[in-house]
Every structure is written in C-alpha cells, then in structure tokens.
C-alpha cells in the first residue's frame, strides 16, 4: 500500500486520474490474491476446536477455511500457495482495547477513547472514531492479532460503544466485523477523576440506575410503537435492556465487582466484567452470576484500583470454570498499547498453561464477544485468519512468520 | 535518579535493593575518598523545555548547560591555582563542586536523550568538556549507532511492547540493541519503572534478542555493562572471585517466558526466595501485599 500511495502522490494532477485507475487495477489484483487458494502446513497446528495436530494442514479458499487435518490425510491440490511454519494458530483476538480510537502519537488529534463532556454517553459510536490506518493497529497485526474488540475506554459512567474489527483494511467498513458490540460502563474512582460528578461510588450507581430506569420506560414505549421523538441515548440503553447489546463493565475492586453484579441482577442485561483485578476474592460470586471476565492486562502496573492485581488471576478464573479472555486495555503513555499475546503469555507462565492461554486468546475470546461463528478456531467454513509462528507463540524469542486474514497474506516477516 | 524535566535535575545514587534501615547501608561507593556514590542526571530534548523560554529551545538548552560547565571550569582553575591556600580558594559552591567532580571524571553524567539529533548534541557537549557520560533511553540510537560507537559513550536503552505515547520517542524500536551491538557500542538495559515494570527486566533483554541482539551481549546488557556505566564493575556485574556475591538463581533459560527467578542473593545473603509464600507474592501480585508485609517500609505510602 505504501507503494500505491507514493505512486498516486508522486504524479501531477493531470496524470493522477490515470494512476488512480492503475492503482484500482493493482487493488483488483490484490483482491484476487485475497481469494487465492493457500495451504498452510504446520509442525503443530492448534485448531483450538480440537486437539493440536502434529504435521497438520489448513487449506484456504475464497477467504475461508476449507479443510483442516493431518498431512497424511489431506492432499494439497495443485495450484495452492504453500506456507510452512513450526506452529500454526487461529488469528489472535484482543478482547478489550482502544486501539484505532487511541493513536500512537498521543496528541489530542488521535485520542478519541474518552469523551469528557458528559459522564453518560451510550450513544457514542466506536465506528465514528475508528481509524483503520492507525499505525498501532498494523503493529498489533504483525504480532498475530487479527481481531480487536475496540472502542470507548474506561473512565466514564458510560463512555460509549465498542465494535469489533479485523486488523486489516484501510477504512472502518473494510475492517468491521460488528459495529455495536458492547456499551462501556465504569465503576470505581476513575470516573470521579474525569468528571466533577458523580464523585462517589453511590452517586455513580444512582446516576446509572436512574438512566436505566428511564430506558425501561423508553423500551416499553418503543415496543408499543409509542416513541414520538428518537433519543439516541435512550435507544442505546433500551438495546442493552432488550439484550441486543452487552454491558462491558469495568470494575477492579472486589466491592465494585459485587456492585456490578447487583446492578446486573436488578436490570437483567447481558454483562461482561472488564479489569477485575480482585476477581480472585469473589470467584464464587462471579461464577454463580454466569458472567465472563475480560481480565486486566496481566502485566498491569499494580497501582491504584489495580494495586492488588496478580499474574495468577486468569488461571484461577479458568480453573473455576469462568470464561476468561485477555485484553491490551488502555495505555496513556509509553508504550501506547500493550500486545494481548504478551499479556496472555505471562498468564500462561503463571498457572494457566500454554494451551489454555491459546484457547482464551482465540475461541474463548470469540465466544465472549459472540463472534465464534466466524473466528477463533481452525474449522472449515470459518474466516481464514491464521498466524504462523517459528516456535511457541508465547516465548519471548518466537517470531511471527506470517499473518493471514480473510485468506489474504497480510504480513510476511522479511 | 531524579527526573528528566530539567537540564540538570540533581545527583543520582547507586544502591543495592537489600534489607536495610538506612540509605547508607544500601549505597555503593564509587569513590570512598571523595564520598561519591552516584552520578549527575542531565536531560535534553523536549522534557526540559519550558514555555517561558528557560529553556524554550534545544539551542538554549545546550547554551545553558555549556555556560554552567564553563563556569565550573573557571571555578576549578581558581581552586587549582589556589593550591590549598585558604586565602585564594574560591568560596564553596555546592553546584560548582558537583560539576567539578563531573569535569574531573569522578562523577558520571547520565544523560536522558531520545531523538537522534539530541543524542548527537549530548555527545558534542560531553566531548567539548571532556566529561564521562552514559546516554540514557537513546530511543533513536539505531539511527546514529555508528556515531554513538565512535564517540565511545555507552548507551543504556529500554525495550517496549509497542512504540508511541511520547512524541519524541515514537521511533523507539526494539532493534536498538542489535544496531548498537553491530556498531560496537557498549549497551545496557534499564526499565525506567513504571514505564516498564522492573519485574520484567529480563524480558526486555529477551525482546532485544528476538530482534537480533546476541544472547551474550544481551546478558552483559543486564549485568556487567550497567556496572561499567556506573563505575562499579570492580564490585558487581559478573561472577568472579573477589566480587560481591550478588547473584540470582533461575529455573531455566533467562530469556524464556516460562522461567522464574527462584532466589536473589546480595552480598552472600539470600534476600528473596520464590518458595517462601510471602516473597513469592512480591513477584506475582496479590491482595494487600505491601500492607501485609511486616518488613515493608513502603506500606504507608502504598496503601491509599
């Protein structure tokens, strides 16, 4: 793409139309390449939906996975482009990030993860802020992350919506998997540091409950066809109450987690816990509520609300049977984003184990995000999102050799 | 060390993180005679810049630093010419005394610097006044690796999970170690905790190796190279007869994610053991660790 950009910008306006035509032709060629037939051969293929396959093959056609099996059982058809690697996994999924809304310059113009004009803004759409060309999106892709659940960050009672994108494409529409995935809710003191009100936990919850009660009325009127003037804020909250979207509730301390469960019981909306530093103190309560957890970045700095975080929480949640996924979260300074694979690696080395960590990064995450019909495992019919590694994906010295998204080889090392 | 918000923000200290009641017990003396146990922190680039123009630009920053060293040179000349005569000696000036220690090579400058042109400015100033200097951060070191190696000043670098977040450091790459090694510069790692959690010090060097640094150079960058940069390599930084018995015991390859530090020994004493549950919590985290620890001096600040 760099080459195309240069091609277009280097020529005079008189000639530019011609070159845009030529660029269009090149894009067509590239698109055809996306639909090329590819065979991926791995010494170990982690399908995730089944046991790992030694000397496995994944056949890709038309952007989808065609067939998966052992080298002995699959004959690679003529004309398939062959890629080989030591380890092959499904594309990795970052279950909670702000990348694309928050950019790597960290200047006002590329920081859209939090809007501080109002503490409750469920109507803010992530798609209106997502920059598919953001450098960090591509950076994550080159580490094997093929899908991101991104959007508004923590720090407001309701900061806005989230969306799911593939880490490819040059526009949000090309990248999009799901435009309206969750509504980001935050409990705890970070809200008070961004807004003059609410300043306490009790006030925060009263603000949230009052709006949800209003939304119940709105939802009832909407169902009866009695809404005279549309209210975007109420529409979003009514969608939440109707179960069309999920609440992504950031809560770190055990008491804030319990509050999240209390509010969820009152209104009955679908919920995923985010952060949850002290989840290990209330494991039984979380399991009984049937709520999945997108655990804080394993290496989160143990400050403030997260001061009691532990590298072992993911392992403890997993052992308790609670669905758990990993996230890169939000970083305000240096580095500007974490890499979800590295966060999972530390959990893998602290009780979770390698295969459980791969599961959480792929199919586990896809299940929590509601996209396991498309991504998360190497199964026929699923999107051909595949990562080729030269060793254990979590080892510090392992490199990503290639990344395939929707059947298109989007990255090759060297 | 103090921060990078000023051209010269103060002196640094070299300490061992061992159980102690006083800072004196923790200090590593570089020069017993002069009582020097640290360096001088300096910074250039955007951090020390001020909207009121003191300094407002890179050139002003350099001019202010140069003026101070010119003053220190004159102070030193007066002092040397007095030859011990109390009548002729200049009156004591603590700022000038510290800078004279720098000019005499007793105190090493630790110079925060990111952009390649700022790195070259730091080198230019050190060359002009002949002081010893360690380049700290050196984010764009890979752009001027040959110049750094030729200058002879060592580079203390940081590795990150991603670039970005700070405008003058957005070109920081984990290939920095490889490029500086190739050029022949001395390289150490630092964490700048909390930029990198110090629990992940080894991990940073492992990423240096992933990006092309040799294992040998990366291990040196975690040990002896840093010791050289503080002038304490006669005491620490390698396992040699006569040196302080400071060492760690690892469960495996230092550059594997699955490896844990099992024990930490300082001066022949085991100060941390992963098999001890309380010690282990310091490595992996958990509930109210700082408050629970009877030995912690920090629990009052840590518990808010």
């Amino acid at each position: 793409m760099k080459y195309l950009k240069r091609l277009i910008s280097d020529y005079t306006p008189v000639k530019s139309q011609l070159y845009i035509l030529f660029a269009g032709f090149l894009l067509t060629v590239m698109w055809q390449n996306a639909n090329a037939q590819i065979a991926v051969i791995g010494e170990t293929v982690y399908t995730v939906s089944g046991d790992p396959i030694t000397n496995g093959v994944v056949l890709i056609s038309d952007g989808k996975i065609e067939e998966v099996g052992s080298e002995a059982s699959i004959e690679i058809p003529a004309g398939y482009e062959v890629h080989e690697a030591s380890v092959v996994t499904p594309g990795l999924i970052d279950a909670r990030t702000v990348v694309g809304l928050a950019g790597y310059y960290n200047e006002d113009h590329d920081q859209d993860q939090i809007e501080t004009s109002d503490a409750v803004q469920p109507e803010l759409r992530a798609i209106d802020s997502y920059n598919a060309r953001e450098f960090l999106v591509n950076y994550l892709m080159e580490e094997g992350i093929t899908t991101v659940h991104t959007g508004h960050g923590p720090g407001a009672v309701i900061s806005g919506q989230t969306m799911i994108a593939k880490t490819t494409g040059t526009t949000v529409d090309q990248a999009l998997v799901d435009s309206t995935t969750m509504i980001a809710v935050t409990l705890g003191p970070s809200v008070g540091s961004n807004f003059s009100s609410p300043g306490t936990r009790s006030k925060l919850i009263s603000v949230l409950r009052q709006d949800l009660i209003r939304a119940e009325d709105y939802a009832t009127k909407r169902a009866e066809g009695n809404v005279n003037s549309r209210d975007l804020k109420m529409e979003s909250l009514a969608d939440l109450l109707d179960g069309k979207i999920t609440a992504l509730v950031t809560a770190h301390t055990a008491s804030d987690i319990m509050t999240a469960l209390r509010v969820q019981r009152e209104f009955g909306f679908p919920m995923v816990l985010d952060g949850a530093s002290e989840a290990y103190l209330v494991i039984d309560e979380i399991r009984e509520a049937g709520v999945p957890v997108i655990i804080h970045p394993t290496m989160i700095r143990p400050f403030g609300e997260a001061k009691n975080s532990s590298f072992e929480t993911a392992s403890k949640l997993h052992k308790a049977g609670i669905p758990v996924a990993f996230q890169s979260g939000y970083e305000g300074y240096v580095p500007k984003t974490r890499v979800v694979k590295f966060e999972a690696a530390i959990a893998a080395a602290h009780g979770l184990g390698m295969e459980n960590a791969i599961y959480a990064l792929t199919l586990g995450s896809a299940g929590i995000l509601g996209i396991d019909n498309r991504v998360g495992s190497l199964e026929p019919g699923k999107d051909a999102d595949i990562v080729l590694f030269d060793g254990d994906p979590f080892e510090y010295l392992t490199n990503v050799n290639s990344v395939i998204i929707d059947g298109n080889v989007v990255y090759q090392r060297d | 060390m103090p921060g990078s918000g000023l051209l010269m923000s103060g002196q640094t200290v070299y300490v061992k993180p061992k159980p102690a009641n006083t800072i004196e017990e923790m200090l590593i003396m570089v020069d017993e005679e002069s009582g020097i146990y640290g360096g001088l922190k300096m910074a250039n680039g955007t951090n020390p810049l001020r909207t009121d123009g003191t300094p407002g630009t890179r050139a002003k920053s350099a001019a202010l630093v140069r003026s101070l060293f010119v003053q220190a040179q004159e102070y030193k000349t007066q002092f040397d010419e007095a030859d011990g005569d109390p009548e002729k000696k200049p009156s004591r000036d603590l700022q000038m005394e510290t800078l004279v220690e720098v000019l005499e090579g007793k105190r090493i400058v630790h110079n925060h610097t990111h952009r390649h042109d700022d790195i070259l400015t730091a080198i230019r100033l050190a060359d002009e006044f002949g002081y010893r200097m360690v380049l700290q951060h050196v984010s764009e070191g890979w752009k001027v690796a040959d110049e750094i190696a030729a200058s002879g000043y060592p580079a203390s670098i940081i590795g990150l999970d991603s670039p970005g977040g700070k405008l003058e450091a957005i070109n920081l790459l984990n290939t920095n170690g490889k490029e500086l090694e190739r050029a022949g510069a001395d390289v150490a790692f630092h964490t700048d905790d909390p930029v990198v959690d110090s629990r992940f010090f080894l991990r940073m060097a492992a990423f240096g190796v992933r990006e092309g640094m040799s294992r040998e150079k990366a291990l040196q960058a975690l040990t002896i190279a840093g010791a050289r940069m503080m002038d304490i390599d006669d005491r620490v930084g390698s396992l040699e007869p006569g040196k302080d018995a400071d060492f760690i015991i690892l469960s495996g390859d230092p550059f594997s994610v699955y490896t844990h530090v099992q024990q930490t020994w300082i001066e022949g004493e085991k100060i941390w053991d992963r098999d001890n549950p309380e010690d282990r919590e310091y490595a992996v985290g958990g509930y109210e660790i700082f408050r629970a620890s009877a030995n912690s001096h920090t629990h009052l600040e840590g518990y808010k």
Side-chain angles (χ1 to χ4, degrees):
Chain A
M1 286 313 288
K2 238 184 224 165
Y3 179 64
L4 279 184
K5 259 178 8 199
R6 206 168 56 224
L7 208 62
I8 294 166
S9 62
D10 278 359
Y11 291 89
T12 58
V14 185
K15 288 182 180 175
S16 68
Q17 264 186 317
L18 192 65
Y19 287 100
I20 286 166
L21 270 179
F22 177 60
F25 167 73
L26 275 183
L27 275 173
T28 311
V29 171
M30 286 166 73
W31 185 249
Q32 280 169 349
N33 183 46
N35 295 329
Q37 291 164 317
I38 296 173
V40 175
I41 304 175
E43 287 169 30
T44 309
V45 175
Y46 291 94
T47 64
V48 182
S49 49
D51 290 335
I53 303 170
T54 307
N55 299 321
V57 177
V58 184
L59 296 184
I60 299 166
S61 186
D62 294 330
K64 300 284 181 188
I65 295 169
E66 201 180 2
E67 209 177 340
V68 184
S70 69
E71 224 171 343
S73 67
I74 292 181
E75 196 174 328
I76 298 168
Y80 275 57
E81 184 184 305
V82 175
H83 292 257
E84 293 182 69
S86 166
V87 173
V88 174
T89 72
L92 308 180
I93 301 170
D94 187 338
R96 169 56 155 158
T97 181
V98 291
V99 80
L101 280 78
Y104 98 130
Y105 292 107
N106 206 12
E107 299 280 290
D108 286 347
H109 66 84
D110 72 344
Q111 299 302 298
D112 281 322
Q113 72 283 351
I114 184 92
E115 158 70 47
T116 53
S117 58
D118 191 343
V120 184
Q121 304 193 79
E123 68 275 24
L124 302 186
R125 300 190 299 190
I127 51 168
D128 297 322
S129 282
Y130 185 75
N131 176 12
R133 291 175 186 266
E134 165 57 40
F135 171 84
L136 292 175
V137 172
N138 195 66
Y139 183 84
L140 293 182
M141 182 276 288
E142 293 186 357
E143 291 288 353
I145 289 87
T146 57
T147 300
V148 289
H149 175 217
T150 189
H152 291 92
V157 178
I158 297 179
S159 60
Q161 302 169 10
T162 64
M163 56 175 264
I164 299 173
K166 297 276 181 86
T167 52
T168 183
T170 52
T171 66
V172 65
D173 300 292
Q174 285 172 15
L176 208 59
V177 175
D178 181 38
S179 67
T180 318
T181 311
M182 299 193 195
I183 284 179
V185 180
T186 305
L187 308 188
S190 68
V191 178
S193 64
N194 287 327
F195 300 92
S196 56
S197 175
T200 63
R201 287 177 160 90
S202 300
K203 175 74 175 180
L204 191 160
I205 296 303
S206 79
V207 167
L208 180 61
R209 290 179 63 234
Q210 190 65 67
D211 275 330
L212 287 170
I213 288 164
R214 281 194 201 107
E216 282 179 329
D217 292 343
Y218 190 88
T220 308
K221 279 187 196 150
R222 187 170 68 174
E224 293 162 351
N226 287 334
V227 171
N228 298 324
S229 59
R230 286 179 65 191
D231 180 329
L232 294 180
K233 179 171 157 178
M234 284 298 123
E235 255 179 30
S236 296
L237 291 180
D239 285 348
L240 174 69
L241 294 170
D242 286 350
K244 289 179 190 156
I245 44 176
T246 299
L248 177 63
V249 182
T250 306
H252 277 284
T253 65
S255 59
D256 285 330
I257 293 170
M258 292 309 294
T259 300
L261 299 180
R262 191 182 312 121
V263 175
Q264 191 269 336
R265 268 199 310 274
E266 181 180 355
F267 294 94
F269 48 76
M271 180 171 94
V272 172
L273 274 173
D274 168 49
S277 294
E278 295 179 7
Y280 55 85
L281 296 178
V282 286
I283 280 184
D284 291 344
E285 289 82 354
I286 295 171
R287 183 179 44 210
E288 278 159 29
V291 172
V293 178
I294 301 176
I295 192 69
H296 60 79
T298 318
M299 294 182 277
I300 194 171
R301 299 173 187 95
F303 291 162
E305 287 182 280
K307 69 180 188 299
N308 296 324
S309 59
S310 161
F311 299 158
E312 297 178 322
T313 308
S315 166
K316 287 178 181 169
L317 293 170
H318 174 79
K319 280 174 185 144
I322 297 165
V324 59
F326 290 102
Q327 64 169 308
S328 60
Y330 164 72
E331 291 295 316
Y333 188 49
V334 177
K336 196 64 185 91
T337 185
R338 293 171 179 275
V339 179
V340 72
K341 172 179 68 175
F342 299 154
E343 303 302 326
I346 300 304
H350 287 84
L352 186 61
M354 178 209 179
E355 287 194 29
N356 290 332
I358 290 179
Y359 177 84
L361 267 184
T362 54
L363 198 54
S365 195
I368 292 172
L369 299 175
I371 51 172
D372 49 334
N373 58 329
R374 277 189 60 180
V375 298
S377 59
L378 302 179
E379 289 177 90
K382 281 202 169 179
D383 292 2
D385 296 353
I386 301 175
V387 190
L388 289 74
F389 297 92
D390 64 4
D392 177 340
F394 297 131
E395 273 293 10
Y396 295 147
L397 303 188
T398 295
N399 288 287
V400 171
N401 282 348
S402 313
V403 179
I404 298 170
I405 298 181
D406 294 326
N408 191 14
V409 180
V410 288
Y411 171 69
Q412 270 188 294
R413 189 166 166 252
D414 298 329
Chain B
M1 60 175 72
S4 51
L6 297 168
L7 297 170
M8 289 181 191
S9 59
Q11 300 178 8
T12 71
V13 283
Y14 307 146
V15 296
K16 290 195 185 185
K18 63 180 183 184
N21 288 326
T22 65
I23 179 76
E24 283 78 8
E25 293 170 72
M26 301 170 84
L27 291 175
I28 307 175
M29 280 289 170
V30 176
D31 184 337
E32 291 280 355
E33 202 183 326
S34 340
I36 290 175
Y37 44 76
L40 173 70
K41 176 68 179 285
M42 286 174 54
N44 68 8
T46 55
N47 284 21
L49 298 184
R50 294 287 171 272
T51 45
D52 66 0
T54 57
T57 62
R58 288 176 158 83
K60 176 78 173 188
S61 299
L64 285 170
V65 168
R66 292 180 64 231
S67 299
L68 272 172
F69 277 116
V70 166
Q71 254 181 279
Q73 281 175 328
E74 286 165 4
Y75 184 85
K76 179 173 151 50
T77 305
Q78 276 179 16
F79 195 90
D80 291 346
E81 283 173 359
D83 199 21
D85 182 348
E87 298 289 307
K88 293 179 184 166
K89 267 208 285 197
S91 55
R92 283 192 69 190
D93 181 323
L94 294 178
Q95 189 182 46
M96 287 297 119
E97 281 182 4
T98 303
L99 294 185
V100 169
E101 287 169 356
V102 169
L103 290 173
E104 289 175 341
K106 294 176 183 166
R107 185 179 290 281
I108 295 172
V109 168
H110 295 278
N111 205 314
H112 159 112
T113 182
H114 286 292
R115 239 169 60 174
H116 66 97
D117 50 337
D118 290 325
I119 296 169
L120 297 179
T121 299
I123 291 173
R124 192 179 310 118
L125 265 54
D127 279 349
E128 178 180 356
F129 296 97
Y131 53 77
R132 298 167 72 190
M133 174 180 68
V134 177
L135 296 162
Q136 296 282 1
H137 305 326
V138 214
S139 301
E140 292 188 4
W142 56 275
K143 291 184 180 174
V144 286
D146 291 325
E147 287 79 359
I148 292 170
S151 77
Y153 300 107
S156 164
I157 64 172
I158 186 167
L160 296 172
D161 284 19
S162 77
K166 176 180 173 64
L167 214 46
E168 67 173 352
I170 56 171
N171 291 320
L172 192 155
L173 297 176
N174 288 344
T175 50
N176 222 359
K178 174 182 99 173
E179 293 303 331
L180 290 164
E181 178 182 3
R182 176 197 53 74
D186 201 9
V187 184
F189 282 104
H190 67 263
T191 63
D192 205 16
D193 193 327
V195 171
V196 172
D197 185 325
S198 45
R199 292 176 293 178
F200 295 108
F201 190 41
L202 289 166
R203 177 178 182 267
M204 192 175 0
F207 280 125
V209 176
R210 185 181 88 154
E211 298 303 324
M213 218 177 167
S214 71
R215 277 176 165 268
E216 297 70 28
K217 190 78 174 179
L219 265 185
Q220 288 169 12
L222 293 166
T223 55
I224 190 72
R228 279 196 294 267
M229 293 179 200
M230 292 182 276
D231 224 356
I232 53 174
D233 51 317
D234 56 327
R235 278 189 61 184
V236 298
S238 60
L239 301 178
E240 285 178 85
K243 278 199 168 181
D244 293 3
D246 299 353
F247 57 93
I248 57 173
I249 296 173
L250 294 152
S251 62
D253 178 358
F255 298 138
S256 168
V257 69
Y258 300 109
T259 293
H260 298 303
V261 174
Q262 296 293 347
Q263 293 178 6
T264 303
W265 292 66
I266 294 183
E267 289 163 8
E269 201 181 325
K270 186 167 75 179
I271 60 151
W272 188 87
D273 188 342
R274 197 177 171 89
D275 287 339
N276 173 339
E278 196 179 303
D279 282 1
R280 188 172 178 283
E281 277 206 315
Y282 272 87
V284 304
Y287 192 67
E288 296 287 354
I289 292 161
F290 293 95
R291 200 180 186 208
S293 169
N295 295 323
S296 173
H297 299 292
T298 56
H299 74 273
L300 287 176
E301 297 104 43
Y303 183 73
K304 281 176 187 164

